Amino acid sequence: MSERQSHPVAGILIAIAAGIALIALGIDVLLVSGAVLLWVGTLYLASARPPAPAPPDRSGVISRENVGELIEHSATPLLLLESGKVAVANRAAQRVLGKHVIGQDARMAFRQPEAVKLLGKNRSGTAIVRGLVRRRDIWRVNQQVIGPHLSALELINLTAEADISRAHTDFVANASHELRTPLASIIGYVETLQEQGTSLDTATSQRFLDTILREAKRLQSLVSDLMSLSRVEAEKHDQPTEVIELASVVERAARDAAGGDRAERLQISSEPQLRIRGDRQQIEQLVRNLVDNALKYGSPGTPVSVEVGETQDGHVRMAVTDQGEGIAPEHLPHLTRRFYRTDPGRSRSSGGTGLGLAIVKHIVERHRGRLDIESRLGEGTSVVVRIPAVSTDADDLS
């Protein structure tokens, strides 16, 4: 309610008295009259009170219009339901459910038993919905009642989180299986030696001991690869800063992988002074893994070539090629998965852990490179790694 303005009587009387005095002193009447009027007007302006501010609206009324404006640009799919029908769906929700959902009964828009059960209740709650957009999708639907006939729905995509959890579960299961196999073999042979050690001939005992040693080394290789994979994954977002000359690193690592008994099969050709920013230890591990695989799975006695050169788009290209049986096309997309083997029996008998190419993939990703695997049955396999090159005038070569 507005208040009436008070009159500045005292100030007006003073202004009139001052005007009379000025006229008595011989000042022009018009000039004095103007001054008195200005004075009185100023007094009225000074005494005027501003209108009282309107009280805030505390009615708590929420309309679909103001809520729609609020949620429109949210990256989270949000919907406003009015009497069970979709009144507002922001852009993110329309991408998930389609533009046609506006005006539909919300239960028809979802068509999921869990969501229908939640929407049938006029109270806040949560439901987990599977296959909302794609078959393996997992979404959490949150309903929040905000008025007598209004409620808000929030859709949260849990698919990526579920995929990560599933991958971790599969990894633990596969690792446990791989560890269990050599352990079972070691324990079995040790128990046999303990029970019948004195009755076994020397040749049999030596065969048992050789098997124990082979399985123990396989177990050691598996643990080493698991630790390497864990380290590479932990550092994959940290791009290396050390500048290394690739030719010498590749040649040393390739000869280490071949050893003395397979060195004659290596054919190494590299351009000098090719440099990359890289982790020297990881690049050596990458080369050892690729060369060891090529020597293992290439046909006995056939050469394995290691070529290092520069591409026209400013990358260093390293290719390791064998002349083995090759890999069927359906296996190629899965070769970098952990513990994936095209021939499990052959891989285990040759001492493979199933982690070599997974480690290679993560090392290449950390170096901002690219990994390609090409193979033809009966001809062989070529693994190509491309990593951005560093200019030859870089002065921080380590």
Side-chain angles (χ1 to χ4, degrees), residues 187-200 205 208:
I187 292 171
Y189 280 103
V190 169
E191 289 177 345
T192 302
L193 287 172
Q194 287 178 332
E195 294 172 359
Q196 305 179 17
T198 56
S199 61
L200 293 174
S205 297
F208 282 11

mmCIF file of all heavy atoms in Angstrom, residues 187-200 205 208:
data_model
loop_
_atom_site.group_PDB
_atom_site.id
_atom_site.type_symbol
_atom_site.label_atom_id
_atom_site.label_comp_id
_atom_site.label_asym_id
_atom_site.label_seq_id
_atom_site.Cartn_x
_atom_site.Cartn_y
_atom_site.Cartn_z
ATOM 1 N N ILE A 187 51.752 -76.616 -8.869
ATOM 2 C CA ILE A 187 51.361 -77.301 -7.626
ATOM 3 C C ILE A 187 51.243 -78.806 -7.851
ATOM 4 O O ILE A 187 51.682 -79.624 -7.033
ATOM 5 C CB ILE A 187 50.037 -76.719 -7.099
ATOM 6 C CG1 ILE A 187 50.254 -75.280 -6.627
ATOM 7 C CG2 ILE A 187 49.477 -77.569 -5.970
ATOM 8 C CD1 ILE A 187 48.972 -74.547 -6.285
ATOM 9 N N GLY A 188 50.656 -79.199 -8.987
ATOM 10 C CA GLY A 188 50.485 -80.620 -9.270
ATOM 11 C C GLY A 188 51.812 -81.357 -9.372
ATOM 12 O O GLY A 188 51.983 -82.445 -8.788
ATOM 13 N N TYR A 189 52.771 -80.793 -10.095
ATOM 14 C CA TYR A 189 54.055 -81.449 -10.248
ATOM 15 C C TYR A 189 54.840 -81.453 -8.937
ATOM 16 O O TYR A 189 55.531 -82.433 -8.614
ATOM 17 C CB TYR A 189 54.872 -80.783 -11.349
ATOM 18 C CG TYR A 189 54.471 -81.226 -12.731
ATOM 19 C CD1 TYR A 189 53.692 -80.422 -13.543
ATOM 20 C CD2 TYR A 189 54.876 -82.468 -13.221
ATOM 21 C CE1 TYR A 189 53.312 -80.831 -14.818
ATOM 22 C CE2 TYR A 189 54.504 -82.890 -14.494
ATOM 23 C CZ TYR A 189 53.715 -82.070 -15.283
ATOM 24 O OH TYR A 189 53.342 -82.488 -16.538
ATOM 25 N N VAL A 190 54.756 -80.372 -8.165
ATOM 26 C CA VAL A 190 55.457 -80.329 -6.876
ATOM 27 C C VAL A 190 54.896 -81.381 -5.933
ATOM 28 O O VAL A 190 55.640 -82.089 -5.223
ATOM 29 C CB VAL A 190 55.364 -78.923 -6.262
ATOM 30 C CG1 VAL A 190 55.853 -78.936 -4.816
ATOM 31 C CG2 VAL A 190 56.189 -77.931 -7.069
ATOM 32 N N GLU A 191 53.574 -81.531 -5.888
ATOM 33 C CA GLU A 191 52.960 -82.553 -5.020
ATOM 34 C C GLU A 191 53.380 -83.956 -5.442
ATOM 35 O O GLU A 191 53.637 -84.822 -4.589
ATOM 36 C CB GLU A 191 51.445 -82.413 -5.064
ATOM 37 C CG GLU A 191 50.928 -81.171 -4.344
ATOM 38 C CD GLU A 191 49.422 -81.022 -4.467
ATOM 39 O OE1 GLU A 191 48.832 -81.707 -5.332
ATOM 40 O OE2 GLU A 191 48.835 -80.215 -3.719
ATOM 41 N N THR A 192 53.479 -84.178 -6.744
ATOM 42 C CA THR A 192 53.920 -85.490 -7.230
ATOM 43 C C THR A 192 55.350 -85.777 -6.812
ATOM 44 O O THR A 192 55.689 -86.895 -6.374
ATOM 45 C CB THR A 192 53.804 -85.550 -8.765
ATOM 46 O OG1 THR A 192 52.457 -85.296 -9.153
ATOM 47 C CG2 THR A 192 54.218 -86.920 -9.284
ATOM 48 N N LEU A 193 56.210 -84.748 -6.930
ATOM 49 C CA LEU A 193 57.599 -84.931 -6.514
ATOM 50 C C LEU A 193 57.705 -85.193 -5.014
ATOM 51 O O LEU A 193 58.542 -85.987 -4.573
ATOM 52 C CB LEU A 193 58.421 -83.705 -6.894
ATOM 53 C CG LEU A 193 58.735 -83.527 -8.386
ATOM 54 C CD1 LEU A 193 59.380 -82.172 -8.631
ATOM 55 C CD2 LEU A 193 59.648 -84.645 -8.889
ATOM 56 N N GLN A 194 56.863 -84.533 -4.222
ATOM 57 C CA GLN A 194 56.899 -84.740 -2.783
ATOM 58 C C GLN A 194 56.458 -86.154 -2.403
ATOM 59 O O GLN A 194 57.016 -86.776 -1.497
ATOM 60 C CB GLN A 194 56.004 -83.716 -2.082
ATOM 61 C CG GLN A 194 56.567 -82.309 -2.048
ATOM 62 C CD GLN A 194 55.634 -81.328 -1.382
ATOM 63 O OE1 GLN A 194 54.423 -81.511 -1.386
ATOM 64 N NE2 GLN A 194 56.193 -80.272 -0.807
ATOM 65 N N GLU A 195 55.418 -86.635 -3.102
ATOM 66 C CA GLU A 195 54.866 -87.943 -2.740
ATOM 67 C C GLU A 195 55.698 -89.101 -3.287
ATOM 68 O O GLU A 195 55.825 -90.146 -2.640
ATOM 69 C CB GLU A 195 53.437 -88.054 -3.276
ATOM 70 C CG GLU A 195 52.470 -87.083 -2.605
ATOM 71 C CD GLU A 195 51.108 -87.077 -3.280
ATOM 72 O OE1 GLU A 195 50.936 -87.821 -4.276
ATOM 73 O OE2 GLU A 195 50.224 -86.325 -2.829
ATOM 74 N N GLN A 196 56.259 -88.935 -4.488
ATOM 75 C CA GLN A 196 56.941 -90.050 -5.131
ATOM 76 C C GLN A 196 58.367 -89.702 -5.525
ATOM 77 O O GLN A 196 58.942 -90.316 -6.427
ATOM 78 C CB GLN A 196 56.162 -90.480 -6.389
ATOM 79 C CG GLN A 196 54.706 -90.809 -6.123
ATOM 80 C CD GLN A 196 53.975 -91.195 -7.391
ATOM 81 O OE1 GLN A 196 54.588 -91.517 -8.402
ATOM 82 N NE2 GLN A 196 52.650 -91.175 -7.328
ATOM 83 N N GLY A 197 58.931 -88.705 -4.854
ATOM 84 C CA GLY A 197 60.251 -88.220 -5.250
ATOM 85 C C GLY A 197 61.312 -89.298 -5.246
ATOM 86 O O GLY A 197 62.129 -89.387 -6.168
ATOM 87 N N THR A 198 61.319 -90.172 -4.240
ATOM 88 C CA THR A 198 62.369 -91.189 -4.141
ATOM 89 C C THR A 198 62.166 -92.330 -5.134
ATOM 90 O O THR A 198 63.127 -93.007 -5.504
ATOM 91 C CB THR A 198 62.394 -91.752 -2.712
ATOM 92 O OG1 THR A 198 61.077 -92.252 -2.382
ATOM 93 C CG2 THR A 198 62.766 -90.656 -1.716
ATOM 94 N N SER A 199 60.914 -92.547 -5.557
ATOM 95 C CA SER A 199 60.642 -93.664 -6.465
ATOM 96 C C SER A 199 60.724 -93.264 -7.930
ATOM 97 O O SER A 199 60.662 -94.129 -8.805
ATOM 98 C CB SER A 199 59.244 -94.237 -6.185
ATOM 99 O OG SER A 199 58.246 -93.241 -6.392
ATOM 100 N N LEU A 200 60.843 -91.973 -8.235
ATOM 101 C CA LEU A 200 60.925 -91.527 -9.608
ATOM 102 C C LEU A 200 62.353 -91.603 -10.111
ATOM 103 O O LEU A 200 63.314 -91.315 -9.377
ATOM 104 C CB LEU A 200 60.427 -90.075 -9.732
ATOM 105 C CG LEU A 200 58.942 -89.826 -9.459
ATOM 106 C CD1 LEU A 200 58.644 -88.331 -9.486
ATOM 107 C CD2 LEU A 200 58.082 -90.542 -10.504
ATOM 108 N N SER A 205 62.022 -87.144 -13.023
ATOM 109 C CA SER A 205 62.144 -86.012 -12.099
ATOM 110 C C SER A 205 62.606 -84.767 -12.841
ATOM 111 O O SER A 205 62.094 -83.658 -12.604
ATOM 112 C CB SER A 205 63.127 -86.352 -10.978
ATOM 113 O OG SER A 205 62.663 -87.436 -10.213
ATOM 114 N N PHE A 208 59.769 -83.310 -14.804
ATOM 115 C CA PHE A 208 58.845 -82.578 -13.924
ATOM 116 C C PHE A 208 59.420 -81.214 -13.559
ATOM 117 O O PHE A 208 58.710 -80.197 -13.572
ATOM 118 C CB PHE A 208 58.590 -83.392 -12.657
ATOM 119 C CG PHE A 208 57.619 -84.520 -12.838
ATOM 120 C CD1 PHE A 208 57.204 -84.921 -14.099
ATOM 121 C CD2 PHE A 208 57.123 -85.205 -11.730
ATOM 122 C CE1 PHE A 208 56.309 -85.971 -14.259
ATOM 123 C CE2 PHE A 208 56.223 -86.243 -11.888
ATOM 124 C CZ PHE A 208 55.817 -86.631 -13.157
#
